[in-house]
Amino acid sequence: MTGLRFAHVLDQEGREIAAQGLDAATIERLSAPRPKLCGLSLDRPRLMGILNVTPDSFSDGGDHASRAEAVAQARAMVEEGAEILDIGGESTRPGAQAVAVEEEMARVVPVVAALRAAGLTVPISIDTRNGATARAALAEGADMINDVSALTHDPGMAGVVAEAGVPICLMHAKGTPQEMQRAPRYDDVLAEVLEALGHRIEAAVAAGIARDRILVDPGIGFGKDLGHNLTLLRSLTAFHGFGLPLLIGVSRKRFIGTIGGAEAPKDRMPGSIAVALWASQQGAQVIRVHDIKETRQALELQHALMREEP
Ligand code: 7PJ
């Protein structure tokens, strides 16, 4: 008996192969328990709640009123079932302009300090491409880094993460947020994203980041069109071949609006939940969402139905 729950797995080209024929090392990579993430066991999907501290969200982080608002929002998110908060001060949506590092730090770092001063103990992830922001936020009590550039934006980032010994999510993106959605092209999106992520894992390890501190993410919507997103989501299990926890962010993204007929991002919650359940069923360990309470309810029901005992 292997630890695999599946009869088939996907190889790096996305072809189905029988799990029976896998060598021991591959089975170990696929089925070994992932190390805990910020104290959380990864034997069930964990919800990462998105807390944006950008002027176009509720807060610019800097002044007292917006810090208090961020603390209130964070508390509410934890009540609703968020197990990690992902705090970002730079919008990386398609077409978004880069923000100066000083500006990003001024938004994010005081909020991390305020959350810890208020006694919140929830793990905090920092959604940043910048080493300086990561370093300052970690010093105020953040626990992990979520880098949508997978260490390609700032040559200083890898050293900060290696030195701190914190977990890092390496997300695949093709191009920068400013231009990535201008007709992205791949010959074979799954093979290319897997290969690129493999290279980023190697680069991280070469920079001194422990392999068991890395999470991977295919980067849905980052330099991908509708067809690319669907192909990657259908083949999500192929990403388990790295033997690392898989983080997925689809919440309110454009493809959900396109397929679901919801022009406004705030109307994309039902479709976001559908895809979150899909990702959870494919074994994704961390799911990054805006609508925490609703996704939590859906995941609880899915979990209850999939368990073997009553
Ligand atoms: C993601 C992210 C994602 C990870 C954003 C948005 C765009 N980080 N940051 N994965 N998306 N790891 O939420 O629409 O998919 S910002």
Side-chain angles (χ1 to χ4, degrees):
M1 247 326 256
T2 70
L4 293 174
R5 286 194 285 135
F6 304 100
H8 295 89
V9 298
L10 298 176
D11 70 8
Q12 299 269 303
E13 272 84 50
R15 289 181 299 245
E16 270 197 357
I17 49 176
Q20 264 186 335
L22 295 173
D23 60 83
T26 306
I27 291 175
E28 176 68 10
R29 270 207 318 282
L30 287 170
S31 63
R34 305 305 185 231
K36 281 188 176 182
L37 176 69
C38 307
L40 301 166
S41 69
L42 294 181
D43 52 355
R44 61 189 177 92
R46 299 296 182 168
L47 270 190
M48 172 182 262
I50 302 166
L51 182 61
N52 284 322
V53 288
T54 51
D56 60 346
S57 53
F58 69 95
S59 154
D60 68 4
D63 61 65
H64 181 77
S66 43
R67 283 204 299 278
E69 205 177 334
V71 171
Q73 178 153 348
R75 277 194 204 289
M77 291 166 75
V78 172
E79 294 258 289
E80 292 183 359
E83 294 164 293
I84 307 175
L85 300 182
D86 190 39
I87 303 182
E90 179 187 43
S91 176
T92 48
R93 287 173 185 284
Q97 292 303 307
V99 170
V101 180
E102 296 70 30
E103 176 70 35
E104 184 197 36
M105 287 176 68
R107 292 174 184 172
V108 169
V109 181
V111 168
V112 176
L115 294 178
R116 291 303 184 226
L120 270 96
T121 56
V122 62
I124 295 175
S125 159
I126 304 296
D127 188 345
T128 184
R129 305 182 291 167
N130 298 305
T133 304
R135 185 193 299 279
L138 291 169
E140 294 294 349
D143 301 278
M144 68 169 276
I145 301 301
N146 172 25
D147 181 354
V148 300
S149 84
L151 305 173
T152 62
H153 179 74
D154 176 357
M157 177 65 108
V160 171
V161 173
E163 197 180 312
V166 292
I168 178 158
C169 178
L170 301 176
M171 195 199 77
H172 177 271
K174 189 170 168 119
T176 61
Q178 289 94 299
E179 42 73 36
M180 65 191 180
Q181 287 308 106
R182 290 192 203 132
R185 283 213 48 227
Y186 300 83
D187 289 325
D188 179 337
V189 65
L190 176 63
E192 290 173 45
V193 172
L194 284 167
E195 186 184 3
L197 270 180
H199 288 144
R200 298 319 304 153
I201 294 167
E202 282 168 26
V205 170
I209 296 172
R211 198 173 192 282
D212 69 3
R213 307 261 78 186
I214 297 173
L215 295 87
V216 290
D217 181 341
I220 298 301
F222 282 79
K224 283 116 189 162
D225 66 18
L226 176 67
H228 300 142
N229 289 329
L230 291 176
T231 299
L232 292 170
L233 287 166
R234 288 185 188 118
S235 308
L236 220 46
T237 54
F239 290 85
H240 291 303
F242 291 118
L244 300 171
L246 179 56
L247 189 156
I248 289 291
V250 295
S251 188
R252 301 185 187 176
K253 287 188 177 173
R254 168 151 300 282
F255 80 100
I256 289 174
T258 305
I259 296 174
E263 187 47 44
K266 67 170 177 39
D267 295 332
R268 298 176 187 160
M269 184 266 283
S272 301
I273 291 178
V275 187
L277 291 177
W278 170 269
S280 148
Q281 205 141 11
Q282 312 302 308
Q285 282 89 354
V286 185
I287 304 183
R288 182 179 179 276
V289 303
H290 297 89
D291 302 294
I292 297 156
K293 184 174 60 189
E294 293 83 356
T295 314
R296 164 63 62 207
Q297 185 180 117
L299 284 174
E300 291 302 335
L301 268 290
Q302 182 191 46
H303 182 71
L305 291 165
M306 286 177 65
R307 273 168 46 146
E308 274 153 34
E309 350 55 286

